[in-house]
Amino acid sequence: MTMRIANHKSLLILVFILASWITFAVIQNSTKLRTVLKLPFSLHHWNFIMKTHPEPALNPAVSPTETELRIKRIMEKLDQLIPPRPFTNVRSTTSAAHSRATLLSPRDTYCRGDRLDVLLEVRDHLGRRKEYGGDFLRARMSSPALKAGASGKVTDFNNGTYLVSFTLFWEGQVSLSVLLIHPSEGVSALWRARNQGYDRVIFTGQFNRGTSQVSTDCALVLNSSAELCEYLDTRDREAFYCLKPPNVPCAALTHMHSKNKDVSYLSKQERSLFERSNVGVEMMAKFDAITVSKCNSEKTVPVKRQCKFGMASTIPSGHVWKDTWNPVSCSLAAIEMKECLRGKFIYLLGDSTIRQWMEYFKSRINTLKSVDLHESGKFQKQLAVDLNKNINIQWQKHGYPLIGSLTYSVKEIEYLAQVIDRIGGERNTIIVISLGQHFRPFPIDVFIRRALNIHDALQRLLLRSPDTVVIIKEENIREMNADVERFSDFHGYIQYLALKDIFQDLNVGIIDAWDITIAYGTNNVHPPQSVVRNQINILLNFIC
């Protein structure tokens, strides 16, 4: 009996010691425990107007709950930027013809390097002064004979007046332009309509069924009581769905194509704002070209240092002159492409605008040989190598949504966050990411979630391989009159703003394709080769 009591006491003492040791270990290793459990960390704060640069999070693990909060916070910021502007009559919306543009401090001759300001007072179709802002405007200056152009900076005072500022970068005859892309009422309608539905574009999935194929409807969201195939990324909470074909497994999905659905979330009156004649209307049609001179020939122009990775961008970020891009804050050197890329492994990830880079590399480096990856179709993965120079370049499409009327393979489709997680990374690894165009027809939360997931994957990559070079190529402008409700540049501009802010806390380079294509005046979803050449020259300056 005595021995039993003694053993019991010894057991209690051992339990007490063990409990004390566990408590001590938890306190000392709380950070490790948080990592294992993936508990949420505090959200970083940002604002589209007032930029902040928070310290990067120490732990890249993000819980699904935190991701939802981040999406909600970004959505709230966007809603503040785009307040509702209901209207009962089109005549009460902004009119380019009735608005007034006034040159401030006009002169006969302007000097290169000067700033020229235009005060814009917007009015409705009845000539009444507007009392609020929010119009989607595009300012540009150009000299077609010199193959020169630059964007202007638009400041919205939110009271019906705007200040449009142009930096006079070059000499000669310069034309000024301010386009009313959409009135504020149209902007409000597009924003509301965009976030109402996922069915402006419908997808058709093709499944293998023995020696034949069967097709069904697919989408980001399917409202159906039928059995569905769910293609889910459980970690990042991204999903795509197809109606399950009878007696065919979900894994048999092989190909996809899409088409626009005859659906609109705009009223008839709202749709009238986006008729061809109402989109991109000139507001400075009565203005003659101005003359810009060199003026002070003795004034020395400061020598700009070569553009390098991580330099801050400005608005405008540069100008085109003689078909060549010239950044404001730095200079671009002419770099021999093949030698610069020696020993580099370049991942081009995203849409067809970054696939244009792949095609440019293959056309300019004659020793670059394509590798047959045994894929077919419009979005097939591409790989090209130069064994002597040890150059390896590959392009891979991003995951759903991927819009295309031509059938493409989805046998190896994956989200870019998954691709990035497989990359080891080091100083000779270059990653260039571009996405946006395929997301415009869908609610903005789809794009925000994708961008956040890519952000977190890059954060993980840069923790394990901080020397890896990561470049974000912003999306570019496109055709103004092409299917405005689905593909308006307004949708792209909102994504452009969101992307810049989402990635502001990471050590990544930004190629401002939005500003570059405005300067070039290329209203094309696939910019011409001269634009691609200049974008790639920025990349070469970043890495060599």
Side-chain angles (χ1 to χ4, degrees):
M1 181 70 175
T2 303
M3 184 177 294
R4 189 179 300 167
I5 293 172
N7 288 340
H8 184 67
K9 288 182 177 179
S10 298
L11 183 61
L12 289 174
I13 292 170
L14 286 172
V15 170
F16 175 78
I17 292 172
L18 181 61
S20 300
W21 180 83
I22 291 173
T23 303
F24 177 79
V26 168
I27 293 172
Q28 293 296 313
N29 296 280
S30 58
T31 301
K32 295 180 181 178
L33 183 64
R34 181 181 291 269
T35 303
V36 172
L37 296 179
K38 296 187 178 181
L39 296 176
F41 282 76
S42 60
L43 297 175
H44 67 268
H45 174 76
W46 60 267
N47 190 294
F48 281 116
I49 309 301
M50 300 298 293
K51 301 292 184 70
T52 59
H53 297 275
E55 291 294 323
L58 296 177
N59 191 323
V62 179
S63 72
T65 302
E66 182 178 349
T67 299
E68 300 305 321
L69 289 173
R70 293 159 81 192
I71 294 171
K72 181 181 178 182
R73 188 166 293 187
I74 294 171
M75 290 286 293
E76 289 173 349
K77 297 290 185 182
L78 291 173
D79 283 334
Q80 291 175 11
L81 284 179
I82 316 163
R85 298 294 185 200
F87 64 98
T88 56
N89 194 304
V90 172
R91 291 180 297 176
S92 65
T93 66
T94 306
S95 164
H98 290 83
S99 298
R100 297 177 183 175
T102 305
L103 272 178
L104 301 181
S105 304
R107 284 177 275 167
D108 292 333
T109 302
Y110 295 86
C111 297
R112 189 182 69 183
D114 285 352
R115 193 180 92 172
L116 183 150
D117 290 327
V118 176
L119 182 66
L120 188 64
E121 298 175 298
V122 297
R123 298 174 181 271
D124 65 18
H125 290 263
L126 297 176
R128 298 174 301 194
R129 173 83 176 271
K130 299 288 290 290
E131 296 181 353
Y132 50 84
D135 299 293
F136 186 41
L137 308 175
R138 179 174 299 163
R140 180 174 181 259
M141 53 183 280
S142 62
S143 297
L146 298 173
K147 294 184 178 180
S151 68
K153 181 180 179 181
V154 178
T155 303
D156 185 352
F157 295 112
N158 296 308
N159 61 0
T161 61
Y162 300 82
L163 182 67
V164 183
S165 302
F166 297 96
T167 301
L168 305 179
F169 290 109
W170 62 87
E171 303 162 41
Q173 293 295 107
V174 177
S175 299
L176 305 177
S177 168
V178 178
L179 298 181
L180 175 63
I181 308 295
H182 304 309
S184 54
E185 296 81 7
V187 165
S188 172
L190 283 176
W191 179 242
R192 187 206 73 246
R194 175 177 185 173
N195 294 308
Q196 278 187 266
Y198 295 82
D199 55 349
R200 292 177 189 81
V201 176
I202 56 174
F203 297 85
T204 300
Q206 182 177 301
F207 292 77
N208 272 347
R209 185 172 59 184
T211 57
S212 62
Q213 287 80 38
V214 60
S215 297
T216 69
D217 288 343
C218 302
L220 291 167
V221 173
L222 272 178
N223 296 317
S224 173
S225 58
E227 185 178 3
L228 300 179
C229 290
E230 180 184 54
Y231 304 96
L232 174 66
D233 181 332
T234 54
R235 182 193 65 190
D236 291 337
R237 312 303 299 170
E238 299 207 64
F240 193 76
Y241 302 89
C242 291
L243 294 175
K244 187 180 182 303
N247 305 316
V248 176
C250 293
L253 177 64
T254 62
H255 291 81
M256 191 76 62
H257 69 268
S258 71
K259 65 178 181 179
N260 295 338
K261 188 177 179 181
D262 186 18
V263 61
S264 174
Y265 292 92
L266 297 171
S267 69
K268 182 179 179 180
Q269 185 168 246
E270 289 171 338
R271 285 196 297 273
S272 70
L273 296 178
F274 307 114
E275 294 172 356
R276 182 177 292 269
S277 60
N278 293 330
V279 177
V281 184
E282 181 60 65
M283 305 184 81
M284 297 186 66
K286 297 179 182 179
F287 281 73
D288 296 326
I290 63 168
T291 301
V292 180
S293 302
K294 190 174 182 180
C295 293
N296 189 353
S297 59
E298 298 180 0
K299 185 178 179 181
T300 58
V301 179
V303 178
K304 294 186 288 188
R305 53 182 177 158
Q306 183 181 339
C307 295
K308 291 296 181 184
F309 183 86
M311 285 185 169
S313 183
T314 58
I315 301 176
S317 59
H319 71 280
V320 182
W321 188 68
K322 292 186 176 180
D323 214 23
T324 300
W325 178 249
N326 297 270
V328 167
S329 55
C330 58
S331 64
L332 291 171
I335 294 177
E336 205 286 313
M337 183 184 299
K338 188 188 295 187
E339 199 56 40
C340 175
L341 298 183
R342 178 192 289 269
K344 301 290 194 298
F345 200 127
I346 302 177
Y347 295 87
L348 305 176
L349 306 177
D351 57 30
S352 56
T353 66
I354 200 69
R355 187 182 65 205
Q356 288 183 272
W357 286 30
M358 184 73 182
E359 294 161 356
Y360 186 86
F361 282 130
K362 290 193 293 185
S363 69
R364 294 292 167 163
I365 304 176
N366 57 11
T367 55
L368 207 57
K369 304 302 180 184
S370 294
V371 177
D372 185 1
L373 299 176
H374 303 286
E375 289 190 26
S376 61
K378 181 180 178 182
F379 294 115
Q380 62 180 292
K381 186 176 180 179
Q382 297 186 36
L383 172 65
V385 298
D386 180 333
L387 295 179
N388 290 329
K389 296 285 187 180
N390 192 23
I391 301 172
N392 189 313
I393 307 175
Q394 73 172 48
W395 173 79
Q396 183 172 341
K397 61 183 177 287
H398 62 67
Y400 305 115
L402 207 58
I403 298 170
S405 57
L406 298 178
T407 300
Y408 56 91
S409 172
V410 294
K411 292 178 181 179
E412 297 183 3
I413 196 168
E414 56 187 336
Y415 296 112
L416 293 188
Q418 298 167 332
V419 178
I420 294 165
D421 280 336
R422 288 200 309 273
I423 297 174
E426 43 83 52
R427 65 186 181 87
N428 286 315
T429 299
I430 318 298
I431 301 173
V432 187
I433 297 170
S434 178
L435 74 160
Q437 298 285 351
H438 293 263
F439 291 80
R440 292 189 183 191
F442 304 100
I444 190 66
D445 66 285
V446 176
F447 177 79
I448 294 171
R449 183 184 301 276
R450 183 67 50 83
L452 288 172
N453 288 336
I454 291 172
H455 169 280
D456 295 342
L458 290 174
Q459 192 176 58
R460 293 189 289 271
L461 169 65
L462 293 174
L463 282 175
R464 64 181 178 267
S465 299
D467 291 337
T468 306
V469 177
V470 179
I471 309 293
I472 305 296
K473 184 185 80 67
E474 296 272 14
E475 67 182 286
N476 49 262
I477 63 173
R478 63 179 296 164
E479 300 81 359
M480 273 190 238
N481 299 301
D483 200 350
V484 172
E485 184 173 355
R486 290 180 181 85
F487 295 110
S488 168
D489 271 344
F490 164 71
H491 298 318
Y493 182 65
I494 293 301
Q495 293 175 173
Y496 164 79
L497 291 179
L499 208 63
K500 288 179 75 171
D501 280 282
I502 287 171
F503 287 96
Q504 68 175 333
D505 66 332
L506 291 185
N507 184 30
V508 300
I510 300 291
I511 294 181
D512 195 340
W514 188 270
D515 193 52
I516 292 172
T517 48
I518 289 177
Y520 272 94
T522 56
N523 299 310
N524 193 318
V525 66
H526 295 117
Q529 198 168 60
S530 59
V531 175
V532 176
R533 169 176 56 84
N534 279 275
Q535 291 175 348
I536 288 177
N537 192 41
I538 298 172
L539 170 74
L540 298 179
N541 276 260
F542 279 171
I543 65 179
C544 295

PDB file of all heavy atoms in Angstrom, residues 6 27 55 108 138 152 236 356 402 423 442 455 514:
ATOM      1  N   ALA A   6       3.526   5.838  -2.895  1.00  0.00           N
ATOM      2  CA  ALA A   6       4.784   6.453  -3.340  1.00  0.00           C
ATOM      3  C   ALA A   6       4.846   6.529  -4.874  1.00  0.00           C
ATOM      4  O   ALA A   6       5.257   7.535  -5.438  1.00  0.00           O
ATOM      5  CB  ALA A   6       5.966   5.649  -2.791  1.00  0.00           C
ATOM      6  N   ILE A  27       5.739  28.905 -24.706  1.00  0.00           N
ATOM      7  CA  ILE A  27       6.051  30.332 -24.588  1.00  0.00           C
ATOM      8  C   ILE A  27       7.276  30.687 -25.425  1.00  0.00           C
ATOM      9  O   ILE A  27       7.303  31.678 -26.136  1.00  0.00           O
ATOM     10  CB  ILE A  27       6.284  30.707 -23.105  1.00  0.00           C
ATOM     11  CG1 ILE A  27       4.969  30.564 -22.323  1.00  0.00           C
ATOM     12  CG2 ILE A  27       6.839  32.120 -22.979  1.00  0.00           C
ATOM     13  CD1 ILE A  27       5.125  30.710 -20.820  1.00  0.00           C
ATOM     14  N   GLU A  55       6.118  47.508 -43.221  1.00  0.00           N
ATOM     15  CA  GLU A  55       7.131  46.475 -43.109  1.00  0.00           C
ATOM     16  C   GLU A  55       6.550  45.156 -43.612  1.00  0.00           C
ATOM     17  O   GLU A  55       5.401  44.830 -43.320  1.00  0.00           O
ATOM     18  CB  GLU A  55       7.551  46.312 -41.646  1.00  0.00           C
ATOM     19  CG  GLU A  55       8.328  47.502 -41.093  1.00  0.00           C
ATOM     20  CD  GLU A  55       9.684  47.659 -41.778  1.00  0.00           C
ATOM     21  OE1 GLU A  55      10.304  46.629 -42.076  1.00  0.00           O
ATOM     22  OE2 GLU A  55      10.075  48.809 -42.004  1.00  0.00           O
ATOM     23  N   ASP A 108       2.913  82.064 -76.232  1.00  0.00           N
ATOM     24  CA  ASP A 108       3.125  81.804 -77.660  1.00  0.00           C
ATOM     25  C   ASP A 108       4.068  80.626 -77.854  1.00  0.00           C
ATOM     26  O   ASP A 108       3.905  79.831 -78.777  1.00  0.00           O
ATOM     27  CB  ASP A 108       3.692  83.049 -78.352  1.00  0.00           C
ATOM     28  CG  ASP A 108       2.682  84.186 -78.401  1.00  0.00           C
ATOM     29  OD1 ASP A 108       1.471  83.889 -78.385  1.00  0.00           O
ATOM     30  OD2 ASP A 108       3.104  85.353 -78.421  1.00  0.00           O
ATOM     31  N   ARG A 138      -8.635  60.349 -70.069  1.00  0.00           N
ATOM     32  CA  ARG A 138      -7.290  59.945 -70.486  1.00  0.00           C
ATOM     33  C   ARG A 138      -6.614  61.139 -71.151  1.00  0.00           C
ATOM     34  O   ARG A 138      -7.071  61.622 -72.192  1.00  0.00           O
ATOM     35  CB  ARG A 138      -7.331  58.758 -71.439  1.00  0.00           C
ATOM     36  CG  ARG A 138      -5.940  58.317 -71.919  1.00  0.00           C
ATOM     37  CD  ARG A 138      -6.028  57.038 -72.739  1.00  0.00           C
ATOM     38  NE  ARG A 138      -6.581  55.957 -71.931  1.00  0.00           N
ATOM     39  CZ  ARG A 138      -7.070  54.832 -72.431  1.00  0.00           C
ATOM     40  NH1 ARG A 138      -7.105  54.659 -73.736  1.00  0.00           N
ATOM     41  NH2 ARG A 138      -7.551  53.898 -71.640  1.00  0.00           N
ATOM     42  N   GLY A 152      -0.641  62.446 -69.691  1.00  0.00           N
ATOM     43  CA  GLY A 152      -0.767  63.591 -68.805  1.00  0.00           C
ATOM     44  C   GLY A 152      -1.308  63.142 -67.459  1.00  0.00           C
ATOM     45  O   GLY A 152      -1.908  62.071 -67.349  1.00  0.00           O
ATOM     46  N   ASP A 236      -5.550  28.047 -51.489  1.00  0.00           N
ATOM     47  CA  ASP A 236      -5.797  29.427 -51.901  1.00  0.00           C
ATOM     48  C   ASP A 236      -7.260  29.735 -52.169  1.00  0.00           C
ATOM     49  O   ASP A 236      -7.603  30.852 -52.556  1.00  0.00           O
ATOM     50  CB  ASP A 236      -4.967  29.745 -53.151  1.00  0.00           C
ATOM     51  CG  ASP A 236      -3.477  29.801 -52.841  1.00  0.00           C
ATOM     52  OD1 ASP A 236      -3.134  30.023 -51.668  1.00  0.00           O
ATOM     53  OD2 ASP A 236      -2.663  29.612 -53.763  1.00  0.00           O
ATOM     54  N   GLN A 356       3.743  37.573 -75.897  1.00  0.00           N
ATOM     55  CA  GLN A 356       4.378  38.388 -76.933  1.00  0.00           C
ATOM     56  C   GLN A 356       5.874  38.538 -76.670  1.00  0.00           C
ATOM     57  O   GLN A 356       6.674  38.615 -77.611  1.00  0.00           O
ATOM     58  CB  GLN A 356       3.736  39.777 -77.005  1.00  0.00           C
ATOM     59  CG  GLN A 356       2.335  39.790 -77.605  1.00  0.00           C
ATOM     60  CD  GLN A 356       1.805  41.211 -77.713  1.00  0.00           C
ATOM     61  OE1 GLN A 356       1.204  41.742 -76.778  1.00  0.00           O
ATOM     62  NE2 GLN A 356       2.055  41.840 -78.855  1.00  0.00           N
ATOM     63  N   LEU A 402      -9.664  31.831 -68.352  1.00  0.00           N
ATOM     64  CA  LEU A 402      -8.840  32.010 -69.545  1.00  0.00           C
ATOM     65  C   LEU A 402      -9.791  32.054 -70.728  1.00  0.00           C
ATOM     66  O   LEU A 402     -10.372  31.035 -71.111  1.00  0.00           O
ATOM     67  CB  LEU A 402      -7.863  30.846 -69.659  1.00  0.00           C
ATOM     68  CG  LEU A 402      -6.548  31.088 -70.400  1.00  0.00           C
ATOM     69  CD1 LEU A 402      -5.757  32.219 -69.763  1.00  0.00           C
ATOM     70  CD2 LEU A 402      -5.718  29.827 -70.455  1.00  0.00           C
ATOM     71  N   ILE A 423       9.315  26.922 -57.887  1.00  0.00           N
ATOM     72  CA  ILE A 423      10.551  27.540 -58.372  1.00  0.00           C
ATOM     73  C   ILE A 423      11.527  27.699 -57.208  1.00  0.00           C
ATOM     74  O   ILE A 423      11.183  28.274 -56.179  1.00  0.00           O
ATOM     75  CB  ILE A 423      10.255  28.906 -59.024  1.00  0.00           C
ATOM     76  CG1 ILE A 423       9.356  28.716 -60.260  1.00  0.00           C
ATOM     77  CG2 ILE A 423      11.551  29.618 -59.410  1.00  0.00           C
ATOM     78  CD1 ILE A 423       8.890  30.013 -60.887  1.00  0.00           C
ATOM     79  N   PHE A 442     -15.287  39.705 -65.094  1.00  0.00           N
ATOM     80  CA  PHE A 442     -15.762  39.033 -63.882  1.00  0.00           C
ATOM     81  C   PHE A 442     -15.679  39.966 -62.678  1.00  0.00           C
ATOM     82  O   PHE A 442     -14.920  40.948 -62.686  1.00  0.00           O
ATOM     83  CB  PHE A 442     -14.933  37.766 -63.632  1.00  0.00           C
ATOM     84  CG  PHE A 442     -14.944  36.822 -64.797  1.00  0.00           C
ATOM     85  CD1 PHE A 442     -13.874  36.767 -65.687  1.00  0.00           C
ATOM     86  CD2 PHE A 442     -16.043  36.007 -65.035  1.00  0.00           C
ATOM     87  CE1 PHE A 442     -13.884  35.915 -66.781  1.00  0.00           C
ATOM     88  CE2 PHE A 442     -16.071  35.145 -66.130  1.00  0.00           C
ATOM     89  CZ  PHE A 442     -14.988  35.105 -67.005  1.00  0.00           C
ATOM     90  N   HIS A 455       0.887  37.218 -54.732  1.00  0.00           N
ATOM     91  CA  HIS A 455       1.697  38.001 -53.777  1.00  0.00           C
ATOM     92  C   HIS A 455       2.263  37.097 -52.693  1.00  0.00           C
ATOM     93  O   HIS A 455       3.463  37.138 -52.382  1.00  0.00           O
ATOM     94  CB  HIS A 455       0.836  39.102 -53.167  1.00  0.00           C
ATOM     95  CG  HIS A 455       1.458  39.798 -51.995  1.00  0.00           C
ATOM     96  ND1 HIS A 455       1.454  39.256 -50.718  1.00  0.00           N
ATOM     97  CD2 HIS A 455       2.095  40.994 -51.878  1.00  0.00           C
ATOM     98  CE1 HIS A 455       2.066  40.075 -49.887  1.00  0.00           C
ATOM     99  NE2 HIS A 455       2.467  41.138 -50.567  1.00  0.00           N
ATOM    100  N   TRP A 514       0.728  50.124 -68.549  1.00  0.00           N
ATOM    101  CA  TRP A 514      -0.436  50.999 -68.707  1.00  0.00           C
ATOM    102  C   TRP A 514      -0.001  52.373 -69.207  1.00  0.00           C
ATOM    103  O   TRP A 514      -0.489  52.871 -70.231  1.00  0.00           O
ATOM    104  CB  TRP A 514      -1.176  51.114 -67.370  1.00  0.00           C
ATOM    105  CG  TRP A 514      -2.485  51.823 -67.475  1.00  0.00           C
ATOM    106  CD1 TRP A 514      -2.711  53.164 -67.337  1.00  0.00           C
ATOM    107  CD2 TRP A 514      -3.757  51.234 -67.775  1.00  0.00           C
ATOM    108  NE1 TRP A 514      -4.039  53.442 -67.521  1.00  0.00           N
ATOM    109  CE2 TRP A 514      -4.703  52.280 -67.793  1.00  0.00           C
ATOM    110  CE3 TRP A 514      -4.172  49.933 -68.010  1.00  0.00           C
ATOM    111  CZ2 TRP A 514      -6.048  52.045 -68.039  1.00  0.00           C
ATOM    112  CZ3 TRP A 514      -5.519  49.707 -68.264  1.00  0.00           C
ATOM    113  CH2 TRP A 514      -6.440  50.748 -68.274  1.00  0.00           C
TER     114      TRP A 514
END
